[in-house]
Amino acid sequence: MDKEGENSHPEVEVVSEVAAAGEKEKQCGKGYSAIEDLLACKAFIAASEDPLKGTSQKGKAFKKTIRNAYKLILAEQTKVDKQQWSTASTSARALMVEPAIYDERTPESLYTRYKDQIAIRVSKFIGIEEVTQQDSGTDSEQFYQKWIF
């Protein structure tokens, strides 16, 4: 800021430390891991393909269904992680990542993560896949391996 209290760097936004009265401060949790992204995808699919609720789910109810599916899938993943860790030999454990303790996720967080991050990347991947020809004599595994960095 300059002498007159004006921001001398217009590209830098000055943010007050005190939230305006009546405004709810947005709290951000820890970022999603690759496993949590995968679980969010599975939860979104499970909620979307729920035969009892079908496509008639609306906003908050759909997000809650995603969250409930995520909790079930997360519990199963945690159990698998712990089981694999407990049965692994000492030398195998040296190569493994210790089972993670996953953060609680809100329905809004899960939905936003899927909509704003995962779905965009999946759509981009599908677009690239559709216009890229597979080399003659290669199988699907080889085709996808050349795109992994």
Side-chain angles (χ1 to χ4, degrees), residues 17-122:
E17 291 182 23
V18 179
E23 276 188 34
K24 207 177 194 182
E25 286 191 44
K26 189 174 185 180
Q27 295 181 353
C28 294
K30 192 173 81 172
Y32 280 70
S33 68
I35 294 290
E36 288 173 304
D37 278 346
L38 177 64
L39 301 179
C41 288
K42 289 180 177 185
F44 191 90
I45 291 168
S48 299
E49 295 179 347
D50 187 330
L52 300 175
K53 296 180 181 178
T55 57
S56 64
Q57 299 178 77
K58 303 286 185 223
K60 285 185 181 181
F62 180 61
K63 291 173 187 176
K64 187 176 178 183
T65 304
I66 293 171
R67 172 69 162 59
N68 291 340
Y70 181 81
K71 285 174 70 174
L72 291 172
I73 295 167
L74 182 63
E76 185 62 32
Q77 181 66 44
T78 301
K79 189 167 46 170
V80 168
D81 289 351
K82 287 179 180 178
Q83 193 273 332
Q84 287 177 338
W85 182 260
S86 67
T87 60
S89 67
T90 306
S91 58
R93 282 186 183 179
L95 302 172
M96 297 171 66
V97 176
E98 193 168 344
I101 298 173
Y102 301 105
D103 284 350
E104 285 289 319
R105 302 294 183 180
T106 65
E108 189 64 37
S109 171
L110 289 164
Y111 180 77
T112 301
R113 178 67 177 183
Y114 183 82
K115 181 178 68 83
D116 293 346
Q117 299 288 323
I118 298 169
I120 292 169
R121 292 178 181 153
V122 169

Side-chain angles (χ1 to χ4, degrees), residues 125-135 143 146-147:
F125 175 79
I126 291 170
I128 292 169
E129 181 189 39
E130 287 178 353
V131 298
T132 306
Q133 290 185 338
Q134 186 170 337
D135 296 333
F143 175 73
K146 79 176 184 182
W147 296 107

